[in-house]
């Protein structure tokens, strides 16, 4: 079982939602925390709350899609705490339900910039530093249950595309680190009560700036009915302590994944039928 007490975690998307839930769980377990987020005011509020747990904290404003900015954030964290042991790449955004042909080039750059390149920047920046100090640690990448299937009700294809990438990235990283003391996990939550639906208000100017994304009352109600972020934080730390790779937050999506798996197997059954019916050449 992995111990968090006295270790240091770097958490992106830490100002609210799942990121803050993870930070609270870390604080309760005695970890020092570098909170990284693009919202400075909300980030400082979160830092002050976590400081009441008598752990060391540092708020670092950063746009995770900016590689140079991530490097500077890592430098600040190391200057404050020394060695980083845990990287929680949790920052994410969504465009909501919209047909893929309606997604603009700027929107594609933003959602892939944060959801995929932000995780890549974390790995490129911090994993070499973690390997260099040689102490046990773990990289935890937040994907989504949407990283394993495209939900026909949510119709959130652009978001799912980025989260599929994070699942593959995490599987590849686990292979790259299999002979090291650094483990890898991928968090695939289902519905959680977060501010993800309002992420358009946090879009950086270089991607077009903040905007109001239409959101139906049904979508907001569905989101608010999700699991509390603090519950997710506790679940994540339990799984990390046990060195689990896939971290799920709900049991119900198992059926969704089984249905997708059945479609994949049907494709293999089809090629087997085709090959069996073809004369040898």
């Amino acid at each position: 079982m992995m111990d968090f007490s006295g270790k240091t975690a770097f958490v992106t998307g830490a100002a609210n939602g799942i990121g803050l839930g993870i930070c609270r769980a870390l604080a309760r377990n005695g970890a020092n925390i570098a909170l990284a987020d693009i919202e400075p005011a909300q980030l400082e509020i979160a830092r002050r709350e976590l400081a009441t747990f008598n752990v060391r904290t540092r708020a670092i404003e950063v746009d995770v899609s900016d590689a140079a900015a991530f490097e500077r954030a890592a430098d600040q964290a190391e200057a404050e705490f020394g060695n980083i042991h845990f990287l929680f790449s949790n920052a994410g955004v969504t465009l909501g339900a919209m047909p893929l042909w309606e997604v603009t080039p700027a929107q594609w750059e933003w959602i892939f910039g944060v959801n995929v390149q932000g995780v890549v920047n974390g790995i490129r920046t911090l994993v070499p530093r973690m390997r260099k100090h040689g102490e046990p640690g773990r990289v935890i990448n937040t994907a989504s249950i949407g990283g394993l299937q495209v939900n026909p009700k949510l119709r959130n294809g652009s978001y799912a595309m980025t989260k599929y990438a994070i699942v593959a990235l995490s599987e590849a990283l686990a292979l790259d680190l299999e002979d090291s003391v650094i483990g890898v996990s991928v968090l695939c939550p289902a519905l959680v009560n977060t501010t993800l639906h309002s992420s358009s208000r946090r879009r950086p100017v270089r991607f077009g700036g903040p905007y109001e994304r239409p959101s139906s009352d049904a979508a907001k109600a569905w989101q608010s009915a999700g699991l509390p972020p603090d519950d997710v934080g506790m679940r994540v730390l339990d799984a990390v302590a046990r060195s689990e790779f896939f971290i799920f937050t709900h049991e119900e999506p198992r059926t969704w994944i089984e249905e997708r798996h059945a479609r994949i197997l049907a494709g293999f059954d089809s090629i087997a039928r085709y090959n069996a019916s073809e004369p040898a050449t």
Side-chain angles (χ1 to χ4, degrees):
M1 295 287 284
M2 186 169 285
D3 183 23
F4 300 96
S5 181
K7 304 292 180 60
T8 297
F10 189 104
V11 185
T12 71
N16 51 57
I18 291 175
L20 182 53
I22 289 171
C23 287
R24 287 172 176 147
L26 286 165
R28 292 188 183 99
N29 282 271
N32 304 314
I33 309 167
L35 297 87
D37 202 283
I38 201 169
E39 291 188 285
Q42 189 61 39
L43 186 59
E44 179 57 22
I45 292 171
R47 189 204 65 78
R48 290 178 181 175
E49 175 197 333
L50 294 168
T52 64
F53 288 86
N54 294 319
V55 296
R56 295 170 60 197
T57 59
R58 172 77 182 262
I60 304 173
E61 181 183 358
V62 63
D63 173 359
V64 297
S65 69
D66 184 330
F70 211 119
E71 286 277 4
R72 292 191 295 272
D75 290 342
Q76 292 177 53
E78 284 191 332
E80 178 74 27
F81 301 110
N83 294 340
I84 306 296
H85 304 92
F86 300 98
L87 167 60
F88 291 86
S89 287
N90 177 74
V93 299
T94 184
L95 303 178
M98 60 190 302
L100 294 179
W101 59 84
E102 291 183 5
V103 181
T104 68
Q107 288 174 317
W108 282 122
E109 290 178 7
W110 177 50
I111 194 169
F112 271 88
V114 177
N115 292 4
V116 180
Q117 193 60 47
V119 178
V120 170
N121 287 339
I123 291 169
R124 185 189 61 81
T125 302
L126 283 172
V127 168
R129 303 181 191 213
M130 294 165 70
R131 283 169 55 85
K132 184 177 180 179
H133 68 60
E135 298 172 7
R138 200 164 190 88
V139 177
I140 302 90
N141 300 317
T142 298
S144 167
I145 199 65
L148 297 168
Q149 48 82 52
V150 180
N151 192 288
K153 293 183 179 180
L154 292 178
R155 300 296 176 96
N156 202 350
S158 58
Y159 180 78
M161 288 167 62
T162 65
K163 296 306 183 177
Y164 267 67
I166 298 308
V167 172
L169 176 154
S170 300
E171 290 176 328
L173 183 63
L175 292 174
D176 291 340
L177 293 171
E178 61 184 350
D179 294 325
S180 77
V181 294
I182 303 172
V184 178
S185 296
V186 59
L187 170 61
C188 297
L191 286 177
V192 181
N193 185 7
T194 71
T195 62
L196 183 65
H197 64 276
S198 61
S199 54
S200 62
R201 300 172 189 170
R202 302 188 283 269
R203 187 172 68 169
V205 172
R206 68 191 181 92
F207 291 121
Y211 71 100
E212 286 294 328
R213 180 177 65 82
S215 181
S216 68
D217 291 338
K220 292 179 181 177
W222 198 5
Q223 186 88 42
S224 64
L227 200 65
D230 282 9
D231 289 1
V232 177
M234 290 187 292
R235 163 61 183 142
V236 169
L237 258 63
D238 177 78
V240 169
R242 298 172 187 276
S243 300
E244 296 177 11
F245 179 75
F246 279 110
I247 304 176
F248 297 113
T249 59
H250 298 67
E251 295 184 41
E252 296 84 354
R254 181 173 187 146
T255 301
W256 309 348
I257 307 307
E258 288 174 341
E259 289 172 353
R260 179 175 184 270
H261 186 62
R263 292 175 65 191
I264 294 173
L265 293 182
F268 281 108
D269 290 341
S270 178
I271 187 59
R273 174 199 53 75
Y274 175 81
N275 287 338
S277 65
E278 287 288 299
T281 57

